[in-house]
Amino acid sequence: MSQPPEPDQPPSPYEPPPSPYGQPQYGPPGETGQPPYGQYGEPYPGQPAYGQPSYEQPGQPPHGQQWGQQPPYTPQVPYGQYGPPSPPGGGGGGGGTNVLAILSLVFAFVFAPAGIVLGHLAKRQVRTSGEQGEQLANWGLILSYIFTGLYLLACCGWLALALWAGSDSQYT
């Protein structure tokens, strides 16, 4: 039988030191009175087993997490709707300047016949959609017709000059 060491004697090196947290519980789980946490294949209480659904909604925080929750997403706009509708009838411009009206004015200087076609298309779109650009389409049409007329006069003049130059060589 071993007797407790006397206070003046050091403890035996073969005995474990006393724990400041109380006596440790050794032995198989269940005998110690503590739940069997950490056993292989068993989940912690309140958690689903590996591979089992957790029944949490997507976008929601995990169970037990209350702080820092993400606000719900705004609903998605149905397909084909892009915001509030533009005011009907124009009234000073519905959605900016018509692109075809701008292109009509540009093509009046680059290739005037294309400017004529784009100007007429732009005027029709401006009437139906209520966009701005009526003045640009008008100027694109005016300049395109003027430059097309000048091109036709230049081509006819060049053709007349070529015929006239060719006809003089026969009589000399």
Side-chain angles (χ1 to χ4, degrees):
M1 292 192 123
S2 76
Q3 295 180 1
E6 296 179 13
D8 296 339
Q9 299 243 348
S12 168
Y14 301 110
E15 293 180 14
S19 173
Y21 303 109
Q23 291 293 328
Q25 299 290 329
Y26 297 115
E31 292 180 10
T32 60
Q34 296 178 353
Y37 294 142
Q39 284 187 354
Y40 180 73
E42 294 183 16
Y44 290 102
Q47 292 184 346
Y50 180 75
Q52 299 295 321
S54 66
Y55 302 108
E56 294 176 2
Q57 297 296 325
Q60 296 295 324
H63 293 299
Q65 183 180 5
Q66 298 296 326
W67 53 272
Q69 290 184 354
Q70 183 177 6
Y73 293 109
T74 57
Q76 190 173 11
V77 178
Y79 181 75
Q81 296 181 0
Y82 297 106
S86 60
T97 306
N98 190 303
V99 175
L100 292 179
I102 297 170
L103 289 176
S104 169
L105 188 61
V106 170
F107 273 91
F109 296 101
V110 177
F111 185 66
I116 293 172
V117 173
L118 290 173
H120 284 292
L121 290 174
K123 285 184 74 146
R124 184 185 320 163
Q125 279 187 359
V126 166
R127 260 184 278 135
T128 58
S129 69
E131 292 177 309
Q132 296 176 354
E134 180 80 24
Q135 294 275 330
L136 288 174
N138 286 339
W139 280 105
L141 278 172
I142 292 169
L143 291 174
S144 294
Y145 277 120
I146 290 173
F147 287 136
T148 301
L150 290 175
Y151 292 154
L152 287 175
L153 282 175
C155 287
C156 289
W158 179 80
L159 186 60
L161 184 63
L163 289 176
W164 179 71
S167 66
D168 280 346
S169 62
Q170 289 179 352
Y171 296 112
T172 53

